[in-house]
Amino acid sequence: MLCTMLLMMCFVYGHGSQPHIILIVADDLGWNDVSFHGSDQIPTPNIDQLAYEGVILFNYYVEHICTPTRSALLTGRHPIQTGLFHGTIGAADPYGLRPNETTIAECLHELGYSNHMVGKWHLGHFAEEYIPIRRGFDTTFGYYLGKEDYFDHTSTVFANKQYLWGFDFHKNGEVYKPVFGQYSTEIFTEKAESIIRNHVNSKKPLFLYLPYQAVHSANEDQLLQAPQKYIDRFPHIDVKKRKMYAAMVSALDDGIGNVTKALKSTGLYENSVIIFTTDNGGPVCGFDGNCASNEPLRGSKRTLWEGGVRGVGLVNSPLLEKPGRVSEDLIHVCDWFPTIYHLAGGNSSTLKNLYGVNQWDTVSSGKQSPRLEILHNIDTVGNYSALRVGDYKLVVNSLYPDKWNDWYPTEGQGKVNPDPRATVVHCPNKPTNASTNCQPFKAPCLFNIKLDPCEYNNVADIYPDITSEMKARLDEILPTVVPAANKDKDMNSDPKLHGGNWVPWIKQTGTNHV
Ligand SMILES: *[C@@H]1O[C@H](CO)[C@@H](O)[C@H](O)[C@H]1NC(C)=O
Ligand SMILES: *[C@@H]1O[C@H](CO)[C@@H](O)[C@H](O)[C@H]1NC(C)=O
Ligand SMILES: *[C@@H]1O[C@H](CO)[C@@H](O)[C@H](O)[C@H]1NC(C)=O
Ligand SMILES: *[C@@H]1O[C@H](CO)[C@@H](O)[C@H](O)[C@H]1NC(C)=O
Ligand SMILES: *[C@@H]1O[C@H](CO)[C@@H](O)[C@H](O)[C@H]1NC(C)=O
């Protein structure tokens, strides 16, 4: 295993100084859905406080959808290395993050951490080896699938012309029913608070992985859900979907505030590093039945436009050397693995075959990012890709020929003036040919993201050398892409066969699954 030799280092570095790591993930939160990015609709005072008192990551990139990002976050390996670059894992799909991939939880365990996961997994659950309690966590509390009802915790999926429906909530690998009827943002928050309180007398450092359900859409019968007290905060938003979405974000913000309070009141905060990230760009109104905003960025969740991959992210910690800053450095979601590993006392230079690089000096002290390049993705099944090198981004093909390639204004009315402290993306004027000057199916498009973060101006013809160099770089990476891990749906997953629950349905995996 990647980090087996670390027991010794653990001893060398000692436990005393290892910080608690609180890794909070929002699901489907859009660029313009937090007030520290300038949202004038949805105040997020608790997330903002973490941002303003910490370091705002302004050039931070995640993957375009859930499974690729979560796999990258937990392994430091690019989805092209793990086979998880194409689509997300469906409820009936017999594949996932392979057991031979080492998670950050497994590494932290060896470095002496006590590991707890609260929330969404979505890295495969068809066999026991894939579920989170088997991936380095001491306790787990949450669900396995990509989406479900926020209150009854059931999930429906359409597979082979049938609707499959079942309950998906698990505690330490066992079905857990007492949460039925309770809103997930609140129960995940309470669970996180209780883990923090119970940790006070522990000698071990804490790793809390807190991937919230919010603000992903739920099942088709009721796509967006929030308790009335959060909905009541948005009388000014007249578009119903957007109002519900805002309520869900507001609940998330309260939850993060409550978790921060628990850290502070127990004193754990003094030696904590809080990382907050979205898993992908926002699904704009109509996408997945949701209603996020990435304004002014282009595109939506699931696309490789900036709106799909430029992510909300921040780090907050009393251990930051230069807090209260905006970092413009290029950072990728894979970078958290070696960064956390370094914080935990490991030597990140010994980690092999990662895509991520240790960014602690960049985040903490403002040292220049060691990263010059980000491969947004090469999807060899969907045949589309995008690459960033320095200020330039090359886009080759696109997932959808005819949709989600545009700019989607925020729906509904604003309420407050944008916070003057907000860190806002500035774009040049939109040229009239913005949506026609780039036709990524005909020829690769080139954008200078620093000057044109909205991807208005395709400059491929102006800089043919940069375009062909970046295309050559993609061609160079292409042979290293492993085959997609995706597998056809397996109807043995049907909850009807498992007491009405989504649970692993293959008890022992043969070699063909590994
Ligand atoms: C795990 O196995 C897969 C398929 O055999 C392989 O592509 C991948 O590189 C392996 N991962 C590691 C970390 O060795
Ligand atoms: C946060 O804490 C307050 C006060 O205890 C509580 O009313 C609220 O429901 C909590 N919010 C969440 C999302 O957990
Ligand atoms: C970290 O590992 C690298 C590569 O093995 C090694 O050169 C370096 O000396 C190590 N650093 C420390 C502080 O042990
Ligand atoms: C993939 O896209 C490239 C570039 O647009 C095109 O030349 C190629 O024919 C496509 N391949 C497939 C299999 O569709
Ligand atoms: C788009 O229009 C601008 C002027 O608004 C022009 O400078 C640019 O060359 C045009 N781009 C393309 C690819 O036609």
Side-chain angles (χ1 to χ4, degrees):
M1 191 182 281
L2 180 77
C3 47
T4 26
M5 75 281 212
L6 291 172
L7 285 166
M8 214 174 75
M9 267 175 208
C10 216
F11 172 74
V12 174
Y13 283 84
H15 287 127
S17 62
Q18 292 170 303
H20 308 297
I21 309 284
I22 316 297
L23 176 55
I24 307 177
V25 182
D27 198 345
D28 284 0
L29 185 66
W31 179 263
N32 190 39
D33 295 325
V34 286
S35 41
F36 81 83
H37 279 179
S39 172
D40 61 355
Q41 268 191 339
I42 313 178
T44 48
N46 296 296
I47 300 174
D48 290 8
Q49 189 181 350
L50 292 179
Y52 294 135
E53 292 177 1
V55 174
I56 293 172
L57 307 178
F58 203 58
N59 262 305
Y60 170 59
Y61 288 86
V62 289
E63 290 297 312
H64 56 312
I65 34 173
C66 180
T67 296
T69 289
R70 285 162 207 264
S71 63
L73 178 62
L74 291 190
T75 65
R77 288 179 29 96
H78 198 283
I80 66 159
Q81 298 176 291
T82 56
L84 297 173
F85 53 80
H86 177 71
T88 57
I89 301 169
D93 297 357
Y95 75 97
L97 179 68
R98 293 188 177 99
N100 69 340
E101 301 289 347
T102 305
T103 70
I104 187 64
E106 290 168 314
C107 279
L108 291 178
H109 212 254
E110 292 184 13
L111 290 167
Y113 275 69
S114 169
N115 297 332
H116 304 273
M117 168 173 167
V118 178
K120 167 172 170 174
W121 179 240
H122 208 189
L123 289 174
H125 68 286
F126 71 100
E128 294 283 344
E129 293 93 317
Y130 285 71
I131 63 176
I133 195 70
R134 301 285 294 270
R135 304 310 288 266
F137 294 97
D138 300 311
T139 72
T140 64
F141 182 85
Y143 62 110
Y144 295 160
L145 306 183
K147 58 115 202 193
E148 66 177 15
D149 191 282
Y150 280 72
F151 291 99
D152 71 21
H153 311 292
T154 65
S155 190
T156 33
V157 63
F158 193 65
N160 301 346
K161 299 180 183 161
Q162 294 173 45
Y163 275 101
L164 310 186
W165 179 66
F167 182 77
D168 174 16
F169 205 102
H170 304 264
K171 185 177 173 183
N172 305 330
E174 302 294 332
V175 173
Y176 188 69
K177 295 258 162 104
V179 292
F180 183 87
Q182 298 177 49
Y183 191 59
S184 81
T185 306
E186 294 178 340
I187 53 180
F188 291 155
T189 299
E190 276 163 30
K191 186 69 183 178
E193 290 173 275
S194 93
I195 287 168
I196 290 165
R197 283 194 301 268
N198 290 337
H199 195 80
V200 171
N201 295 319
S202 172
K203 299 260 181 301
K204 292 181 163 194
L206 170 68
F207 173 49
L208 174 59
Y209 177 46
L210 179 54
Y212 276 100
Q213 178 172 4
V215 289
H216 199 288
S217 52
N219 294 321
E220 275 165 36
D221 59 337
Q222 200 177 58
L223 283 160
L224 301 176
Q225 300 176 303
Q228 192 61 41
K229 66 171 176 177
Y230 302 110
I231 303 172
D232 290 343
R233 294 177 182 175
F234 298 94
H236 57 286
I237 303 181
D238 47 2
V239 176
K240 189 169 175 233
K241 268 189 186 167
R242 183 69 184 160
K243 185 202 278 286
M244 289 301 290
Y245 179 87
M248 290 157 69
V249 174
S250 201
L252 171 69
D253 185 69
D254 275 23
I256 290 171
N258 289 0
V259 170
T260 307
K261 264 184 226 136
L263 287 168
K264 289 187 173 166
S265 68
T266 52
L268 261 54
Y269 180 78
E270 293 313 312
N271 190 33
S272 289
V273 176
I274 302 171
I275 298 167
F276 175 70
T277 173
T278 187
D279 68 336
N280 43 247
V284 297
C285 291
F287 188 108
D288 274 359
N290 212 328
C291 202
S293 168
N294 301 315
E295 199 180 358
L297 302 178
R298 183 175 192 170
S300 175
K301 168 184 178 178
R302 210 174 257 274
T303 72
L304 298 180
W305 302 114
E306 293 294 286
V309 293
R310 189 164 174 171
V312 179
L314 67 89
V315 176
N316 179 289
S317 171
L319 307 177
L320 290 167
E321 269 182 42
K322 293 187 183 165
R325 263 184 328 117
V326 177
S327 164
E328 304 268 357
D329 285 279
L330 269 188
I331 296 178
H332 183 256
V333 63
C334 276
D335 298 342
W336 295 125
F337 184 113
T339 303
I340 292 172
Y341 187 69
H342 164 79
L343 279 167
N347 179 351
S348 62
S349 308
T350 62
L351 299 170
K352 296 283 178 268
N353 302 318
L354 298 192
Y355 185 73
V357 291
N358 172 13
Q359 295 275 15
W360 183 245
D361 289 343
T362 300
V363 171
S364 175
S365 338
K367 208 176 137 204
Q368 198 182 357
S369 168
R371 177 178 285 291
L372 299 171
E373 175 183 302
I374 289 177
L375 176 67
H376 291 305
N377 202 16
I378 295 181
D379 183 335
T380 49
V381 180
N383 196 23
Y384 67 108
S385 54
L387 174 73
R388 171 82 174 262
V389 178
D391 294 339
Y392 288 96
K393 176 179 178 185
L394 190 77
V395 177
V396 183
N397 293 347
S398 162
L399 175 58
Y400 303 102
D402 308 318
K403 52 181 182 175
W404 312 123
N405 297 316
D406 287 324
W407 297 263
Y408 305 92
T410 310
E411 300 221 2
Q413 299 300 308
K415 180 194 186 186
V416 288
N417 291 327
D419 189 329
R421 296 172 299 173
T423 319
V424 178
V425 168
H426 295 288
C427 294
N429 291 333
K430 191 175 177 183
T432 49
N433 62 10
S435 42
T436 52
N437 72 36
C438 160
Q439 305 206 337
F441 288 96
K442 293 204 177 131
C445 303
L446 185 73
F447 299 97
N448 182 324
I449 298 298
K450 188 166 185 185
L451 301 176
D452 177 26
C454 291
E455 299 168 289
Y456 288 149
N457 296 297
N458 174 16
V459 294
D461 289 344
I462 303 176
Y463 302 108
D465 293 354
I466 299 177
T467 305
S468 56
E469 269 168 38
M470 288 179 71
K471 184 68 177 60
R473 177 68 182 134
L474 276 175
D475 291 342
E476 183 183 36
I477 301 170
L478 182 63
T480 69
V481 180
V482 306
N486 306 59
K487 290 222 167 69
D488 289 341
K489 296 186 190 315
D490 180 348
M491 299 310 274
N492 291 322
S493 59
D494 191 344
K496 274 201 210 86
L497 307 172
H498 311 285
N501 301 301
W502 291 106
V503 289
W505 65 92
I506 292 172
K507 291 301 170 202
Q508 281 191 323
T509 56
T511 46
N512 56 332
H513 289 293
V514 175

